[in-house]
Amino acid sequence: MSKGRILSGMRPTGKLHLGNLLGALENWKTLQNEGYECFYFVADWHALTTDYMDTSHIRSNIVEMVTDWLASGLDPEKSVLFIQSLVPEHAELHLMLSMITPVSWLERNPTYKEQMQELSNKDISTYGFLGYPVLQAADILIYKANYVPVGIDQAPHVELTREIARRFNYFYGEVFPIPDIKLTDFPKVLGTDGRKMSKSYQNAIYLADSPEEVRKKVSIMVTDPQRVRRTDPGNPEVCPVFSLHKIFTSVETQKTLDRDCRTAQIGCVDCKKILAGNLITTLSPVYEKRQTLSQKPDVVMDILTKGSEKARQMARKTLEEAKAAMKML
Ligand code: TRP
Ligand code: SF4
């Protein structure tokens, strides 16, 4: 017996970094291995909401990203891995849900307001972008998912999904279970410049980085800015290098490093070498698997095509139910 159905998705951003690994993939993998029925998908239509002007990278981004999924241990035998646009039922349910969703709910959405300001370099004053959460609701509801594992930034979207589901059920009868958010609380992963690790900041360490690249990136990481000379004592609490030690280094070694940094008994160069070593140890199985898989993009695509067929069967069934409830059959 399954513990419940899980659904989550990622926009096709291309190769993934440490932040994505710890923020989502590790969690997805745990759920997959703990007896949930898992559906994980590439939200390629969602990518269009902000990047409709240049769609040339979407396809290669899908393959890169899913290569990382597989290398990190998502298993197509256990989880259904698929592409949103290969399951057109999402679009049909999206249309139906869009009919019952008040515009004011969408305009109120904090993510919408934020992105409108942040992405001022892109023209996202589109119908599609406003409707982003309606498409997301269709993604979730079409599988009657019980849990949606996402970060806190996505909480408003899951909340909107719940409201849309309730409204549908109220008008047409109980079709959709109300999904719960499964908040992933993950360590905040800092990039080489000390800001949050992000593709757009160019401060990320990628799962695709070779051991040499990892060593190089760690070696140029910013440290405690007050520690100028080797003889200056440092403060691990404000050091981005140490923030990664907290995730990848044994508690014992952390204690030693903490003390040796504060007393200037260790230099940043050596401290970074230890970190790079630990990062490489953790990442090398993923890296190796990725190396093999990246030679076989058609294997990756095949997994997604088969997964999409599986997903589609379930999506069709729910769509029929929703149409029947609306007396649209
Ligand atoms: N909006 C999500 C993000 O940017 C991606 C996404 C699309 C999603 N549809 C979803 C996540 C459904 C969970 C469930 O990260
Ligand atoms: Fe950071 Fe390590 Fe240097 Fe201390 S010794 S400032 S923890 S890099």
Side-chain angles (χ1 to χ4, degrees):
M1 260 305 277
S2 136
K3 287 200 210 163
R5 194 170 298 146
I6 295 269
L7 176 118
S8 198
M10 271 185 212
R11 295 152 56 110
T13 49
K15 55 184 187 173
L16 299 180
H17 54 65
L18 277 182
N20 306 125
L21 178 72
L22 300 166
L25 285 180
E26 281 297 332
N27 187 47
W28 287 13
K29 201 172 72 180
T30 307
L31 295 167
Q32 158 194 279
N33 295 333
E34 277 182 355
Y36 290 92
E37 191 186 345
C38 297
F39 287 76
Y40 299 128
F41 75 101
V42 183
D44 57 342
W45 278 329
H46 276 109
L48 293 178
T49 58
T50 49
D51 294 291
Y52 58 88
M53 290 152 268
D54 179 8
T55 55
S56 57
H57 302 295
I58 293 181
R59 202 193 152 83
S60 58
N61 279 353
I62 292 176
V63 178
E64 289 277 1
M65 183 171 85
V66 177
T67 301
D68 282 330
W69 289 9
L70 297 167
S72 314
L74 287 190
D75 179 353
E77 300 288 319
K78 294 182 184 164
S79 300
V80 183
L81 309 178
F82 68 100
I83 301 181
Q84 185 184 38
S85 67
L86 290 182
V87 188
E89 287 74 11
H90 288 226
E92 199 170 339
L93 184 60
H94 165 249
L95 177 93
M96 288 154 65
L97 298 179
S98 76
M99 300 300 170
I100 66 164
T101 305
V103 176
S104 60
W105 290 9
L106 301 173
E107 285 170 339
R108 240 193 275 135
N109 168 24
T111 329
Y112 177 72
K113 293 198 253 179
E114 249 168 57
Q115 299 248 61
M116 274 302 216
Q117 300 198 323
E118 268 173 41
L119 303 182
S120 53
N121 56 330
K122 292 179 184 172
D123 180 6
I124 50 172
S125 57
T126 58
Y127 177 51
F129 186 70
L130 180 66
Y132 188 111
V134 187
L135 181 56
Q136 185 157 347
D139 298 336
I140 296 168
L141 298 178
I142 205 152
Y143 301 102
K144 298 190 174 182
N146 305 107
Y147 305 104
V148 185
V150 283
I152 188 76
D153 62 305
Q154 291 295 311
H157 291 165
V158 180
E159 196 42 58
L160 257 168
T161 302
R162 291 161 60 85
E163 282 170 25
I164 293 172
R166 283 196 202 100
R167 193 165 161 93
F168 185 101
N169 290 348
Y170 173 75
F171 286 144
Y172 314 115
E174 296 288 322
V175 172
F176 298 116
I178 309 301
D180 279 315
I181 186 168
K182 216 174 175 46
L183 258 194
T184 349
D185 58 336
F186 48 90
K188 195 167 156 204
V189 184
L190 299 184
T192 50
D193 60 358
R195 289 188 289 173
K196 181 182 167 205
M197 189 174 286
S198 160
K199 188 164 201 158
S200 47
Y201 294 157
Q202 305 200 307
N203 64 358
I205 296 173
Y206 291 96
L207 307 187
D209 286 345
S210 67
E212 300 81 80
E213 279 166 302
V214 173
R215 268 188 216 103
K216 209 164 88 201
K217 285 185 179 176
V218 173
S219 75
I220 57 159
M221 265 188 93
V222 300
T223 59
D224 171 4
Q226 306 280 40
R227 192 173 187 200
V228 183
R229 280 172 299 256
R230 168 67 181 80
T231 48
D232 295 340
N235 179 5
E237 266 147 57
V238 301
C239 176
V241 174
F242 199 79
S243 81
L244 291 183
H245 273 302
K246 282 191 185 153
I247 307 171
F248 294 97
T249 300
S250 73
V251 178
E252 227 165 293
T253 310
Q254 276 182 47
K255 276 194 193 142
T256 319
L257 290 173
D258 183 282
R259 189 197 54 212
D260 292 354
C261 169
R262 290 175 196 276
T263 51
Q265 285 180 79
I266 188 170
C268 294
V269 174
D270 289 325
C271 180
K272 286 173 165 181
K273 275 189 188 145
I274 295 171
L275 175 64
N278 293 346
L279 274 177
I280 291 164
T281 308
T282 311
L283 287 179
S284 67
V286 180
Y287 178 72
E288 302 288 323
K289 209 164 159 200
R290 197 189 196 287
Q291 285 292 96
T292 319
L293 269 171
S294 63
Q295 313 294 317
K296 308 176 197 163
D298 33 321
V299 170
V300 176
M301 259 306 170
D302 195 49
I303 287 171
L304 289 170
T305 315
K306 294 212 172 86
S308 301
E309 250 328 299
K310 257 192 238 169
R312 204 167 176 194
Q313 282 170 22
M314 185 170 293
R316 273 201 196 105
K317 231 177 109 218
T318 312
L319 188 64
E320 291 295 293
E321 274 177 56
K323 283 188 193 169
M326 291 178 92
K327 312 215 176 341
M328 298 287 287
L329 268 187

